[in-house]
C-alpha cells in the first residue's frame, strides 16, 4: 500500500514538473501536501494495519506452519512486486492525465487542477486499501470513508480561506510584533 501511495504521488508530481518545464511551480498547495501524509492516507493505513486480521492470534499460535508461506516467498515475491509497480504506474498516468486533459481548454488554474489530483489520489489509495481489508468494522469504515470526506472538506476550506496560502505564512505571522 505504501508503494502505491509513494509512486502515485511522485509520478504525478514528476509529470507536473516536466509539464511546466521545470519552473518549480506547484499545483498542490503546501497544506494539501502536508495533510496528505498525515490525515488523507496515513491514518486509514495505520488503523487498518492495527485492526485488520485475517486469522486470530489463537489460530496463528496453534498452526505455526502458516508462517512458512512468508519464509518461502509464496505470498509476496518479485513477480508480484513488478506487477504492483506496473499497476501503480498506469494509475498515476490516469490520475495525472484525466483531469489535465478534461480541463485543457478551460480557465482552470494550476491550484484547482492540483486539488483534483489530490482528491483523485486520496480516493484511489483509500479504495485500494478498502479492497485489501479482510474484516470490516465500523472503525475501518469510519476512517476510510471519513478520510475521503475530510479530503473534500479540507480542500474546500484551504481554497476558501485566504490565510491558508501556505503553511510558511505561520512563520511570517509569528514574526509580527502584534503576535
Amino acid at each position: 500500500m505504501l508503494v502505491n501511495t509513494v509512486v502515485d504521488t511522485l509520478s504525478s508530481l514528476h509529470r507536473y514538473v516536466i509539464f511546466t518545464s521545470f519552473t518549480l511551480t506547484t499545483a498542490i498547495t503546501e497544506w494539501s501536501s502536508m495533510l496528505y501524509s498525515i490525515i488523507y492516507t496515513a491514518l486509514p493505513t495505520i488503523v487498518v494495519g492495527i485492526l485488520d486480521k485475517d486469522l486470530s492470534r489463537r489460530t496463528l499460535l496453534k498452526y505455526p506452519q502458516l508462517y512458512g508461506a512468508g519464509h518461502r516467498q509464496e505470498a509476496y515475491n518479485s513477480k508480484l512486486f513488478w506487477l504492483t509497480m506496473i499497476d501503480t504506474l498506469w494509475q498515476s498516468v490516469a490520475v495525472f492525465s484525466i483531469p489535465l486533459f478534461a480541463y485543457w481548454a478551460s480557465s482552470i488554474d494550476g491550484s484547482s487542477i492540483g486539488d483534483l489530483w489530490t482528491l483523485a489520489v486520496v480516493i484511489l489509495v483509500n479504495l485500494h486499501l478498502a479492497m485489501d481489508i479482510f474484516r470490516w468494522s465500523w472503525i475501518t469504515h469510519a476512517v476510510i470513508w471519513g478520510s475521503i470526506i475530510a479530503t473534500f472538506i479540507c480542500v474546500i476550506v484551504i481554497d476558501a480561506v485566504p490565510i491558508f496560502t501556505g503553511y510558511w505564512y505561520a512563520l511570517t505571522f509569528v514574526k509580527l510584533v502584534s503576535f
Side-chain angles (χ1 to χ4, degrees):
M1 202 67 223
L2 176 65
V3 172
N4 282 345
T5 304
V6 170
V7 173
D8 278 345
T9 304
L10 292 179
S11 295
S12 295
L13 294 176
H14 180 70
R15 281 187 188 79
Y16 185 74
V17 167
I18 292 172
F19 186 76
T20 59
S21 302
F22 300 95
T23 60
L24 296 178
T25 60
T26 180
I28 299 173
T29 64
E30 292 92 356
W31 283 101
S32 288
S33 180
M34 182 177 60
L35 292 173
Y36 175 82
S37 301
I38 299 170
I39 296 174
Y40 303 159
T41 56
L43 185 63
T45 304
I46 291 168
V47 169
V48 169
I50 292 170
L51 296 180
D52 193 40
K53 297 174 178 82
D54 53 347
L55 297 171
S56 69
R57 181 175 58 172
R58 189 170 289 160
T59 303
L60 291 172
L61 290 174
K62 188 175 180 181
Y63 301 104
Q65 64 270 22
L66 292 171
Y67 293 104
H71 292 293
R72 292 186 299 273
Q73 295 183 351
E74 293 171 357
Y76 193 76
N77 52 32
S78 62
K79 180 182 176 184
L80 184 59
F81 172 79
W82 288 111
L83 186 64
T84 304
M85 286 291 122
I86 292 168
D87 181 45
T88 303
L89 185 64
W90 88 261
Q91 289 172 15
S92 70
V93 169
V95 164
F96 178 79
S97 303
I98 292 171
L100 182 69
F101 294 122
Y103 292 99
W104 186 260
S106 70
S107 62
I108 192 169
D109 62 340
S111 178
S112 298
I113 217 70
D115 291 343
L116 291 173
W117 287 331
T118 301
L119 292 170
V121 170
V122 169
I123 291 169
L124 180 72
V125 168
N126 281 306
L127 287 178
H128 262 261
L129 182 62
M131 289 189 290
D132 290 337
I133 293 177
F134 288 105
R135 293 184 185 174
W136 281 92
S137 69
W138 69 270
I139 298 172
T140 52
H141 274 287
V143 170
I144 287 179
W145 310 123
S147 171
I148 293 171
I149 293 167
T151 304
F152 277 96
I153 293 169
C154 288
V155 163
I156 290 169
V157 169
I158 289 168
D159 287 345
V161 179
I163 196 169
F164 290 142
T165 55
Y167 60 80
W168 293 111
Y169 181 78
L171 295 176
T172 307
F173 184 70
V174 171
K175 292 178 185 177
L176 295 176
V177 177
S178 61
F179 181 72

